[in-house]
Amino acid sequence: MKRIVFFAIFMSLSLCDSYSVLNAENPPGNEEKAARSYYVRCPRFVRPMMEKWIEEYSTLRPDVKICLAKRCAKSEIDMNVVLRRSNIDGYEVMYFGDYCILPVTKKNSFADKKLSGKTMGRKRLKKLFFTKNEEDYVDEYEREEYRKIPYVVYSSNDTASVSGSFATFFDEPLCNLRGKRVSGDDAFLNNAVVNDTLGVTFNAIPNIFDIKTRRVRDGLSLLRVDTEGLSGYEITNNTTIDEMIDVLEQEKTETIPVSRIGITFSQDDEDVKDFLRWIITSGVTYNHHYGFLNLDSQTMERQADKVRLL
């Protein structure tokens, strides 16, 4: 019996000592805070750069966890990448760059062979990609000319598609895009045209160019667009993504849509704003590598003001 009592006292003292040591190492109120998670939704062509941003930022703020939203409810999204100038109730938008859209088809397809010898001006591009309302045809001859166009236009019906920007640039309603709608991300438009010898589409250049090789992706071919206004520069399948960005940052043309890209946020969340401050001051240095154009210095300053510390 004495042995049992002695053992119980010994264990009790040992536990007390252990608790004292733990408290000395981790005093109350000094517990490590769990990282708060924030979710950002973006199109696939933005994801590689967003993933790089998240990786870099996490080394500076391990207490804040930024995650790509792949299967999140709308109510869980803290930031959305938007592809046009937008006014969203309750949110502001900080723009971090521009992206451009080019027409493309399958390399060596019927469409490629027939269209490669033609320079596509604004009027010809509109005729290729858009239809008209019945009342807008000049006469029956024009109506028949539109009906005879053999090519199949593929565009996306996804809300995060560049289709809206493409249509707006050509002063057309989105519903006037001819052809077939592809469900899901714009990345699937490439799959659609490579499986249709008559297929043509348009896409953001990070979806058209291979970021590693800096050249047009295998199996795709750029349509030849009129580059008047670009100081005689001609865009071909041999053009690199870096050459494209350099030219379009300096000059614009009426045949190549260039649109703004930004991130929605709430002014009430300081952690999100801190991430955006890092993007507009440091993250944008990756724009060119991932196929995006930089904003001019004045526009950059205005965007920085939106998330500046008060």
Side-chain angles (χ1 to χ4, degrees):
M1 181 68 181
K2 290 182 179 180
R3 289 183 180 180
I4 295 174
V5 171
F6 176 79
F7 180 75
I9 293 172
F10 174 79
M11 288 300 297
S12 177
L13 291 172
S14 297
L15 288 172
C16 288
D17 289 342
S18 298
Y19 181 76
S20 299
V21 170
L22 286 172
N23 267 349
E25 294 176 351
N26 296 289
N30 197 40
E31 296 88 353
E32 186 177 344
K33 290 174 64 178
R36 163 76 193 275
S37 294
Y38 296 90
Y39 292 92
V40 54
R41 175 175 287 162
C42 58
R44 287 194 183 188
F45 77 89
V46 186
R47 285 183 192 174
M49 185 163 72
M50 184 61 71
E51 288 171 345
K52 181 64 176 177
W53 284 348
I54 292 171
E55 177 188 349
E56 295 283 326
Y57 183 73
S58 65
T59 64
L60 302 173
R61 288 291 306 274
D63 58 311
V64 177
K65 187 176 181 182
I66 311 294
C67 309
L68 285 177
K70 297 180 180 179
R71 291 181 178 85
C72 291
K74 187 176 180 180
S75 60
E76 297 178 297
I77 306 300
D78 301 286
M79 295 166 277
N80 268 297
V81 171
V82 290
L83 304 183
R84 286 185 283 175
R85 296 178 188 271
S86 305
N87 292 316
I88 301 174
D89 291 341
Y91 292 90
E92 290 198 48
V93 181
M94 187 200 76
Y95 298 101
F96 59 83
D98 286 335
Y99 66 97
C100 78
I101 306 170
L102 292 174
V104 67
T105 187
K106 177 185 178 180
K107 190 173 184 179
N108 296 325
S109 65
F110 177 86
D112 187 28
K113 291 173 183 177
K114 289 293 182 181
L115 295 172
S116 62
K118 300 177 180 179
T119 299
M120 312 286 287
R122 185 177 178 88
K123 185 175 180 180
R124 183 170 281 176
L125 284 166
K126 289 185 69 168
K127 187 175 180 179
L128 174 63
F129 285 100
F130 298 94
T131 186
K132 284 188 173 185
N133 296 322
E134 284 297 315
E135 64 272 16
D136 293 334
Y137 289 111
V138 175
D139 51 31
E140 187 61 32
Y141 175 78
E142 186 184 42
R143 182 182 287 105
E144 284 302 311
E145 283 295 300
Y146 268 77
R147 288 175 179 169
K148 288 179 182 178
I149 295 175
Y151 310 109
V152 180
V153 173
Y154 288 93
S155 60
S156 173
N157 58 11
D158 193 86
T159 54
S161 171
V162 301
S163 296
S165 299
F166 187 79
T168 299
F169 179 81
F170 286 103
D171 301 316
E172 293 282 352
L174 188 59
C175 61
N176 275 9
L177 275 167
R178 66 165 72 245
K180 299 181 179 181
R181 301 290 187 269
V182 175
S183 296
D185 192 88
D186 283 344
F188 299 127
L189 295 175
N190 292 349
N191 299 337
V193 295
V194 298
N195 288 305
D196 188 345
T197 191
L198 295 174
V200 293
T201 189
F202 50 85
N203 221 322
I205 61 173
N207 275 337
I208 296 174
F209 286 79
D210 186 312
I211 298 301
K212 292 181 180 179
T213 66
R214 317 304 286 172
R215 297 189 178 276
V216 176
R217 293 177 186 269
D218 291 341
L220 297 179
S221 179
L222 298 175
L223 299 186
R224 182 181 294 177
V225 298
D226 186 348
T227 53
E228 183 179 356
L230 299 184
S231 301
Y233 185 82
E234 185 177 358
I235 296 172
T236 71
N237 285 328
N238 293 321
T239 301
T240 68
I241 193 171
D242 303 291
E243 292 169 340
M244 179 86 62
I245 290 170
D246 184 58
V247 169
L248 291 175
E249 278 188 344
Q250 306 304 318
E251 302 176 273
K252 300 294 185 287
T253 175
E254 64 176 7
T255 57
I256 301 176
V258 175
S259 189
R260 199 125 293 178
I261 184 169
I263 305 176
T264 65
F265 69 99
S266 170
Q267 281 286 2
D268 297 332
D269 204 316
E270 286 301 324
D271 283 339
V272 168
K273 287 167 64 178
D274 187 71
F275 177 52
L276 298 185
R277 280 193 292 272
W278 179 86
I279 288 175
I280 204 65
T281 56
S282 301
V284 291
T285 59
Y286 292 104
N287 277 6
H288 285 184
H289 178 75
Y290 289 101
F292 296 92
L293 284 64
N294 286 329
L295 302 176
D296 62 79
S297 58
Q298 289 185 339
T299 303
M300 286 280 287
E301 185 64 27
R302 289 196 298 271
Q303 302 314 302
D305 284 342
K306 294 178 181 180
V307 292
R308 204 179 301 279
L309 283 170
L310 299 178

